[in-house]
């Protein structure tokens, strides 16, 4: 499944990555007026909202599968009634985030701001939304009930991992989570996970800016206390997965001579990804680890081909990633796919030639992976959880259905039979893009009616007893130590 382009992170990683990634585009384009002082008319905003909903309905095979049409219409009216006469495009972005979140589909939402922002215009965007203070100086535990600090930048002393935040800038933690969950796409479990995992980067969407006045719950010998924190750049935060390194996948040895592959996202070009895999598994062949752990707990997907390329190094069993694809042909998607070139254009050429309204049904046969140059034959554990999404969930489902490895962790937050093949539409006045999936993928076991998520073989409660611990990784390492070694 191929889902998003390079600036699609608004659906999966809140607005920050989409905004900063697209703003970094050096292309010269028309001024879109995203500074707070530049507005559009109320009529233009309403036309964009109507256009967005019509485009989403045109793209999606069943847009209201998880939502009530009457409730969406009621909320649309309430939100548009609340628009000022001259709303900013930031106002429209937040409104669309709230409205599309009501569909409860993880692939339906606001994709990004216009891509072609550069130079002083891009800087004005960042100033308008983040001010000059940066983002919150911590990452947060996505498995916690409340807002619990997971990591802080080096040299930070006012916060420590394990601290529980009760208020930020006089807004309670519960209220912040409620607001952010209301702007996030997907199931209740998906919203819950990402409101916590991405809270520091999403605070601007709740109107919270640096400096941050933070109330902390009592901890150990310390009573309740209040600290004031300055913002930081995203690059200053801890990097639990290689989101700031040159690749979205990396390998290292951990204690016990166990190899750990952290696979963070499936967006790299397949040819380049295959080169990285060859290098990784050549090192693994040299290291001869006792076992291998593949961590996809925070992998939001992308191109499912990358999952197949990885699996060929650890299994020779016949399998299929999914059983069927039901792909709706629409004018909106045909227009979107028409903007692609090269390999992507070839992939969608046949789709663009079909009449709109047709449903293309493709069945997938089981087949053995192609031989890999440095195959690994030892025990393999794969870590999954509510952050395992889209193409990463398809990969996890195939692993579970065909017993290609042993799954550890928590269930995924979406059904294993899922929607994908996302395409987008640019709104006529604001240039904001919305996105929706055009295809339904039947899970690997062929159960078209199933709404169950991918379940781990070994369930692990990921809420750690102590800060810094990793229960799922610990369980996988313990399991590996009890397995027969690699031949």
């Amino acid at each position: 499944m191929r889902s998003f382009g390079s600036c699609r992170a608004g659906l999966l990683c809140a607005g920050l990555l989409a905004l900063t990634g697209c703003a970094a585009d050096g292309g010269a384009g028309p001024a879109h007026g995203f500074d707070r002082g530049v507005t559009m008319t109320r009529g233009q905003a309403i036309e964009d909202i109507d256009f967005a909903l019509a485009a989403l309905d045109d793209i999606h095979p069943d847009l209201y599968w998880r939502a009530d049409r009457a409730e969406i219409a009621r909320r649309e009216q309430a939100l548009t009634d609340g628009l000022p006469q001259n709303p900013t495009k930031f106002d429209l972005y937040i409104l669309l985030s709230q409205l599309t979140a009501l569909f409860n589909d993880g692939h339906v939402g606001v994709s990004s701001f216009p891509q072609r922002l550069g130079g002083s215009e891009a800087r004005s965007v960042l100033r308008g939304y983040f001010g000059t203070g940066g983002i919150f100086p911590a990452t947060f535990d996505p498995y916690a009930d409340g807002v619990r600090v997971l990591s802080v930048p080096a040299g930070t002393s006012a916060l420590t991992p394990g601290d529980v935040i009760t208020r930020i800038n006089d807004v309670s933690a519960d209220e912040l989570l409620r607001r952010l969950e209301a702007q996030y796409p997907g199931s209740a479990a998906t919203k819950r996970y990402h409101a916590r995992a991405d809270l520091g980067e999403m605070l601007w969407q709740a109107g919270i800016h640096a400096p941050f006045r933070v109330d902390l719950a009592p901890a150990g010998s310390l009573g309740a206390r209040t600290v004031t924190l300055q913002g930081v750049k995203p690059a200053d935060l801890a990097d639990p997965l290689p989101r700031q390194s040159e690749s979205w996948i990396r390998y290292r040895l951990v204690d016990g001579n166990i190899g750990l592959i952290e696979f963070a996202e499936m967006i790299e070009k397949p040819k380049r990804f295959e080169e990285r895999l060859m290098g990784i598994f050549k090192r693994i062949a040299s290291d001869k680890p006792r076992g291998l752990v593949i961590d996809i707990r925070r992998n939001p997907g992308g191109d499912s081909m990358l999952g197949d390329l990885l699996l060929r190094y650890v299994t020779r069993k016949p399998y299929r990633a999914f059983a069927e694809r039901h792909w709706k042909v629409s004018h909106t998607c045909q227009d979107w796919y028409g903007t692609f070139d090269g390999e992507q254009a070839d992939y969608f050429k046949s789709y663009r030639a079909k009449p709109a309204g047709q449903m293309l049904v493709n069945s997938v046969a089981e087949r053995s992976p192609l031989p890999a140059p440095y195959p690994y034959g030892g025990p393999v554990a794969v870590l999954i959880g509510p952050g395992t999404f889209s193409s990463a969930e398809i990969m996890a489902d195939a692993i579970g259905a065909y017993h290609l490895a042993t799954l550890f962790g928590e269930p995924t937050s979406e059904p294993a039979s899922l929607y994908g093949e996302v395409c987008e539409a640019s709104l006529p006045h604001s240039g904001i893009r919305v996105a929706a999936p055009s295809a339904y993928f039947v899970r690997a076991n062929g159960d078209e009616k199933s709404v169950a998520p991918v379940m781990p073989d070994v369930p692990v409660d990921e809420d750690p007893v102590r800060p810094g611990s990793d229960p799922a990784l610990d369980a996988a390492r313990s399991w590996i130590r009890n397995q027969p070694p690699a031949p």
Side-chain angles (χ1 to χ4, degrees):
M1 173 173 53
R2 303 180 184 211
S3 52
F4 298 92
S6 60
C7 277
R8 61 90 181 105
L11 286 179
L12 302 174
C13 306
L16 177 74
L17 295 179
L19 173 60
T20 55
C22 293
D25 188 333
H32 289 285
F34 269 82
D35 206 339
R36 282 182 179 273
V38 181
T39 61
M40 58 196 303
T41 69
R42 189 173 186 276
Q44 288 174 326
I46 292 173
E47 287 178 7
D48 269 10
I49 294 166
D50 291 340
F51 186 96
L53 291 177
L56 296 176
D57 204 16
D58 186 43
I59 295 168
H60 205 299
D62 185 10
L63 181 60
Y64 294 88
W65 72 283
R66 232 184 201 172
D68 180 82
R69 187 183 293 267
E71 175 62 14
I72 296 282
R74 187 189 70 78
R75 289 290 295 139
E76 178 193 5
Q77 187 64 55
L79 289 168
T80 53
D81 285 349
L83 280 172
Q85 282 303 115
N86 294 107
T88 66
K89 296 177 185 180
F90 176 77
D91 294 332
L92 181 59
Y93 177 89
I94 296 300
L95 184 153
L96 288 168
S97 296
Q98 294 171 336
L99 185 59
T100 56
L102 295 171
F103 289 104
N104 301 315
D105 184 321
H107 286 102
V108 173
V110 184
S111 173
S112 71
F113 293 107
Q115 288 192 32
R116 300 179 64 81
L117 293 173
S120 60
E121 186 179 1
R123 287 192 291 274
S124 74
V125 172
L126 298 174
R127 282 198 304 271
Y129 301 142
F130 297 103
T132 58
I135 65 174
F136 197 92
T139 63
F140 297 97
D141 189 340
Y143 299 102
D145 287 334
V147 177
R148 184 169 62 203
V149 175
L150 184 64
S151 67
V152 297
T156 300
S157 58
L159 286 181
T160 59
D163 279 342
V164 174
I165 292 175
T166 58
R167 300 179 74 83
I168 301 176
N169 290 9
D170 296 322
V171 181
S172 73
D174 288 344
E175 173 63 16
L176 283 173
L177 291 173
R178 186 194 66 78
R179 290 185 195 176
L180 297 180
E181 287 178 10
Q183 294 183 51
Y184 213 94
S187 68
T190 298
K191 296 174 192 291
R192 184 189 189 284
Y193 177 90
H194 283 287
R196 290 157 177 78
D198 303 329
L199 183 141
E201 299 174 344
M202 291 179 71
L203 285 174
W204 63 278
Q205 295 194 38
I208 305 295
H209 302 271
F212 304 104
R213 186 175 182 273
V214 180
D215 294 345
L216 298 167
S221 60
L222 297 174
R225 62 196 193 280
T226 299
V227 298
T228 298
L229 306 171
Q230 301 303 314
V232 298
K233 298 177 181 178
D236 294 331
L237 296 176
D239 183 19
L241 289 176
R243 294 187 179 277
Q244 295 167 18
S245 63
E246 63 174 358
S247 175
W248 297 91
I249 187 168
R250 68 182 175 193
Y251 160 77
R252 58 193 170 98
L253 280 174
V254 296
D255 291 345
N257 191 38
I258 292 171
L260 174 62
I261 291 177
E262 296 162 300
F263 189 14
E265 195 154 4
M266 304 164 83
I267 61 173
E268 200 162 35
K269 291 184 182 300
K271 183 177 179 181
R272 182 62 180 128
F273 185 73
E274 198 164 12
E275 292 171 354
R276 294 193 192 281
L277 286 177
M278 188 179 299
I280 286 173
F281 280 90
K282 185 176 181 179
R283 287 179 55 198
I284 290 172
S286 175
D287 289 344
K288 295 181 172 57
R290 181 70 179 74
L292 192 61
V293 179
I294 301 173
D295 187 350
I296 56 172
R297 286 174 293 179
R298 288 197 174 202
N299 190 319
D303 187 344
S304 60
M305 182 187 296
L306 274 58
D308 293 329
L309 291 173
L310 174 55
L311 289 178
R312 67 189 282 249
Y313 282 87
V314 298
T315 187
R316 294 291 299 134
K317 290 183 179 180
Y319 77 93
R320 60 187 179 187
F322 50 88
E324 287 183 343
R325 178 182 64 180
H326 300 234
W327 199 2
K328 178 185 176 183
V329 181
S330 67
H331 289 303
T332 304
C333 284
Q334 288 174 326
D335 290 344
W336 172 247
Y337 296 144
T339 65
F340 295 171
D341 55 20
E343 182 187 351
Q344 286 184 311
D346 292 339
Y347 180 79
F348 294 112
K349 186 175 181 180
S350 174
Y351 176 94
R352 295 187 64 223
K354 303 293 183 183
Q358 186 173 351
M359 187 70 73
L360 309 178
V361 180
N362 307 107
S363 297
V364 178
E366 298 172 2
R367 61 181 62 186
S368 298
L370 294 173
Y374 299 98
Y376 180 73
V380 179
V382 177
L383 310 184
I384 64 170
T388 306
F389 184 76
S390 192
S391 290
E393 185 175 14
I394 284 180
M395 174 183 167
D397 183 54
I399 291 169
Y402 290 93
H403 309 290
L404 308 181
T406 301
L407 299 173
F408 288 78
E410 295 194 353
T412 58
S413 58
E414 299 289 339
S417 289
L418 51 82
Y419 289 95
E421 295 290 15
V422 170
C423 54
E424 306 184 7
S426 294
L427 307 187
H429 299 296
S430 65
I432 294 170
R433 292 207 312 269
V434 293
S438 59
Y440 181 67
F441 291 82
V442 178
R443 66 185 304 165
N445 67 8
D447 186 354
E448 185 177 343
K449 302 298 184 182
S450 173
V451 294
V454 179
M455 301 298 296
D457 299 308
V458 182
V460 181
D461 183 355
E462 287 275 43
D463 191 357
V465 175
R466 64 186 188 281
S469 64
D470 191 334
L473 178 58
D474 291 343
R477 290 164 59 192
S478 177
W479 173 81
I480 286 172
R481 287 192 292 268
N482 291 314
Q483 300 305 305

